[in-house]
Amino acid sequence: GQQVMQIPQYQHVQEGEDFTTYCNSSTTLSNIQWYKQRPGGHPVFLIQLVKSGEVKKQKRLTFQFGEAKKNSSLHITATQTTDVGTYFCAGVRSGGSYIPTFGRGTSLIVHP
Amino acid sequence: KAGVTQTPRYLIKTRGQQVTLSCSPISGHRSVSWYQQTPGQGLQFLFEYFSETQRNKGNFPGRFSGRQFSNSRSEMNVSTLELGDSALYLCASSLVYRGGSADTQYFGPGTRLTVL
């Protein structure tokens, strides 16, 4: 079945440093979604990317969808302590039913 | 506007029992999706309901079922509970069917189910 690999599993950064998490799918995707989950909280939907090579920005967050629509990345510039949490990607397989497959997430720890 | 509400928030059951979880979406939202989150398997999609119809279903056994009412409220049922069903069950609502849009979905706080 479809697999979505996400790396790294954990990332420690000093406040102000940049952070990137990567997702790779075993199959071509129709779209990919990104979520953030704070410790003890529920996931918060961040964005959905649909087009090949798409790049979208939300303030300090930059989301990219690969040209082959099999990989994606989330980059945070100048991290802040409020960025702490686990970031998940979820890919929906191209040509199939709308069933998102989640990566295992990257836990971001920001040291002040 | 009130957010997505889920009841109960915590539940303890024993193996073999069944359980029903409830989700009330944001007012006006017609799509409700259910997810299971465990430390071992991570986040997994269970199913999505839109206009009282199940639109998509993830890779879960038939013990997991759901339904949606005309007011968009949804229930999820798990029969013959197993220890491995212990998890955080999350529901999320969106305005329209997610298979046809990039609409934002909003998660509820979840129901923490423990099976003993």
Side-chain angles (χ1 to χ4, degrees):
Chain A
Q2 180 192 6
Q3 291 187 6
V4 176
M5 306 301 292
Q6 189 173 357
I7 58 168
Q9 187 176 358
Y10 299 95
Q11 183 76 60
H12 290 255
V13 299
Q14 289 294 133
E15 190 172 17
E17 291 181 337
D18 292 355
F19 159 78
T20 305
T21 173
Y22 301 90
C23 278
N24 288 288
S25 169
S26 57
T27 61
T28 303
L29 303 171
S30 66
N31 67 72
I32 192 157
Q33 305 145 37
W34 285 93
Y35 300 81
K36 176 185 178 182
Q37 186 172 22
R38 288 204 165 99
H42 56 267
V44 173
F45 175 84
L46 296 175
I47 205 164
Q48 177 167 298
L49 304 175
V50 179
K51 297 177 184 174
S52 168
E54 189 169 16
V55 178
K56 285 192 173 180
K57 292 191 176 185
Q58 292 178 353
K59 296 182 180 178
R60 294 178 295 104
L61 277 61
T62 301
F63 304 86
Q64 293 189 345
F65 200 9
E67 293 289 343
K69 300 185 76 173
K70 295 183 76 173
N71 57 66
S72 182
S73 65
L74 158 59
H75 179 82
I76 302 178
T77 304
T79 55
Q80 300 174 357
T81 54
T82 53
D83 296 325
V84 165
T86 300
Y87 293 84
F88 296 94
C89 64
V92 176
R93 185 174 186 165
S94 180
S97 300
Y98 194 88
I99 298 173
T101 299
F102 287 80
R104 296 308 302 273
T106 296
S107 293
L108 172 63
I109 300 100
V110 181
H111 299 278
Chain B
K1 210 180 240 189
V4 178
T5 58
Q6 291 187 245
T7 56
R9 292 292 310 278
Y10 301 91
L11 204 49
I12 299 175
K13 291 284 188 179
T14 56
R15 279 182 300 174
Q17 288 187 309
Q18 75 160 17
V19 67
T20 299
L21 312 181
S22 181
C23 173
S24 292
I26 291 172
S27 178
H29 284 197
R30 296 170 60 196
S31 168
V32 173
S33 299
W34 288 90
Y35 300 83
Q36 182 196 65
Q37 187 171 31
T38 62
Q41 298 297 322
L43 262 169
Q44 294 183 280
F45 171 81
L46 279 157
F47 27 65
E48 178 182 7
Y49 284 86
F50 178 74
S51 294
E52 302 177 62
T53 303
Q54 187 182 92
R55 297 303 175 118
N56 292 296
K57 188 177 194 300
N59 189 25
F60 278 82
R63 300 185 297 108
F64 291 81
S65 63
R67 58 178 176 169
Q68 186 180 34
F69 302 95
S70 58
N71 61 359
S72 294
R73 189 178 70 85
S74 178
E75 288 182 346
M76 193 192 92
N77 185 275
V78 188
S79 62
T80 320
L81 284 167
E82 301 177 358
L83 295 178
D85 297 333
S86 294
L88 179 66
Y89 290 90
L90 295 153
C91 83
S93 78
S94 57
L95 272 170
V96 295
Y97 168 53
R98 305 208 74 244
S101 78
D103 192 36
T104 300
Q105 61 174 342
Y106 299 86
F107 281 80
T111 294
R112 175 75 61 184
L113 172 65
T114 301
V115 181
L116 303 175

